[in-house]
């Protein structure tokens, strides 16, 4: 009986680099990071050097050009060694994939390929005011000439205060309903970002935090959006 082809053939060399980074760095640092509440920066650097933070990125933007099966396998292997690193990794790849799908080539060069793919990204989406719902925002971007201003208090932001860039979700300027949502890429060094710790068990604290964005400027020329009356590209 014929067997359906569910996934492409695994590149053993690519996976050996992943396993090498996990064994040499991620697993070694796991207990110390947990006990001391340290952010797993070294672990993410090792995964970037192995190419796996760009698992879904096109090769021309410094990525491996693999698929979601490979991403899931990587997250599983990393999470087995250190759950916190696995969480940070998954949120990074998710943020990066938003840029892959909807960003311009310039944005991909700047945020995905720069520094040999070593920049760490994350999502900043849910808000305390709406009970932490991923899809529901009360904050709303406003126009500032050719730029936008973001004012929002975000909760449950993985890599808060550590990320090099945030993919921030908020309402489109002049939004008519809660489905009219837009994403902006925000430089992690931008003025107006205030990072705070999240009161949670130690293992979660090293990865989670909350962010407040006060008059935070974003020159997002091509924001990705969701909804009928927004701007930019449909999600």
């Amino acid at each position: 009986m014929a067997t359906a082809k569910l996934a492409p053939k695994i590149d053993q060399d690519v996976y050996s680099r992943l396993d090498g980074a996990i064994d040499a760095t991620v697993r070694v640092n796991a207990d110390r990071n947990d006990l001391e509440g340290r952010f797993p920066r070294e672990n993410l650097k090792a995964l970037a050097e192995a190419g796996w933070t760009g698992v879904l990125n096109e090769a021309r933007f410094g990525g491996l050009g693999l698929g979601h099966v490979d991403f899931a396998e990587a997250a599983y292997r990393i999470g087995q060694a250190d759950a916190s690193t696995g969480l940070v990794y998954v949120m990074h790849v998710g943020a990066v994939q938003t840029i892959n799908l909807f960003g311009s080539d310039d944005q991909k060069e700047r945020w995905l390929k720069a520094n040999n793919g070593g920049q760490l990204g994350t999502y900043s989406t849910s808000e305390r005011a709406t009970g932490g719902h991923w899809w529901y925002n009360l904050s709303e971007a406003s126009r500032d000439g050719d730029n936008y201003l973001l004012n929002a208090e975000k909760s449950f932001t993985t890599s808060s205060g550590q990320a090099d860039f945030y993919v921030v979700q908020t309402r489109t300027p002049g939004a008519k309903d809660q489905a009219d949502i837009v994403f902006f890429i925000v430089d992690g060094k931008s003025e107006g970002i205030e990072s705070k710790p999240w009161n949670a068990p130690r293992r979660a604290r090293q990865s989670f935090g909350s962010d407040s964005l006060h008059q935070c400027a974003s020159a997002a020329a091509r924001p990705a959006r969701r909804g009928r009356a927004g701007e930019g590209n449909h999600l």
Side-chain angles (χ1 to χ4, degrees):
M1 183 175 65
T3 301
K5 184 179 180 181
L6 298 179
K9 182 179 178 180
I10 293 175
D11 185 331
Q12 294 300 334
D13 179 62
V14 171
Y15 272 87
S16 67
R17 297 204 306 268
L18 170 64
D19 291 336
I22 292 172
D23 291 339
T25 307
V26 177
R27 199 181 308 278
V28 170
N29 290 330
D31 286 343
R32 180 188 174 194
N33 288 348
D34 184 29
L35 290 171
E36 299 179 10
R38 297 172 70 248
F39 186 79
R41 176 68 67 174
E42 300 97 326
N43 298 353
L44 274 297
K45 180 180 179 182
L47 293 169
E49 291 173 349
W52 278 88
T53 53
V55 56
L56 300 178
N57 302 357
E58 296 178 63
R60 66 191 178 110
F61 297 117
L64 296 179
L66 300 178
H68 286 82
V69 171
D70 300 291
F71 169 39
E73 180 65 25
Y76 173 73
R77 296 188 187 192
I78 295 165
Q80 279 191 313
D82 180 41
S84 293
T85 300
L87 174 62
V88 172
Y89 175 75
V90 167
M91 297 304 291
H92 163 80
V93 175
V96 163
Q97 184 66 349
T98 302
I99 301 174
N100 277 325
L101 293 174
F102 304 106
S104 65
D105 283 357
D106 177 70
Q107 289 169 329
K108 294 174 186 178
E109 288 279 351
R110 179 179 179 185
W111 300 109
L112 308 187
K113 189 175 181 180
N115 297 333
N116 295 317
Q119 296 195 104
L120 177 64
T122 194
Y123 276 124
S124 188
T125 56
S126 58
E127 298 177 1
R128 182 180 301 174
T130 61
H133 291 298
W134 177 275
W135 50 270
Y136 183 20
N137 299 115
L138 291 182
S139 65
E140 183 176 312
S142 61
R143 289 281 195 173
D144 182 30
D146 292 333
N147 297 328
Y148 296 84
L149 288 177
L150 307 180
N151 286 285
E153 184 175 353
K154 297 293 184 176
S155 57
F156 307 111
T157 300
T158 306
S159 306
S160 172
Q162 300 287 341
D164 297 303
F165 65 89
Y166 299 86
V167 174
V168 178
Q169 176 181 290
T170 186
R171 290 193 185 194
T172 303
K176 302 300 183 183
D177 60 51
Q178 63 199 37
D180 196 357
I181 291 171
V182 64
F183 286 95
F184 292 92
I185 306 170
V186 177
D187 191 322
K189 299 181 180 64
S190 296
E191 294 184 5
I193 299 177
E194 181 183 0
S195 178
K196 299 177 182 178
W198 184 53
N199 187 17
R202 181 183 297 160
R203 182 172 289 275
R205 281 203 303 270
Q206 70 191 53
S207 303
F208 275 124
S210 62
D211 279 323
S212 295
L213 295 87
H214 305 288
Q215 297 295 319
C216 187
S218 177
R222 294 182 59 201
R225 64 96 167 169
R226 175 184 177 186
R228 295 182 300 276
E231 307 165 11
N233 302 315
H234 282 285
L235 293 181

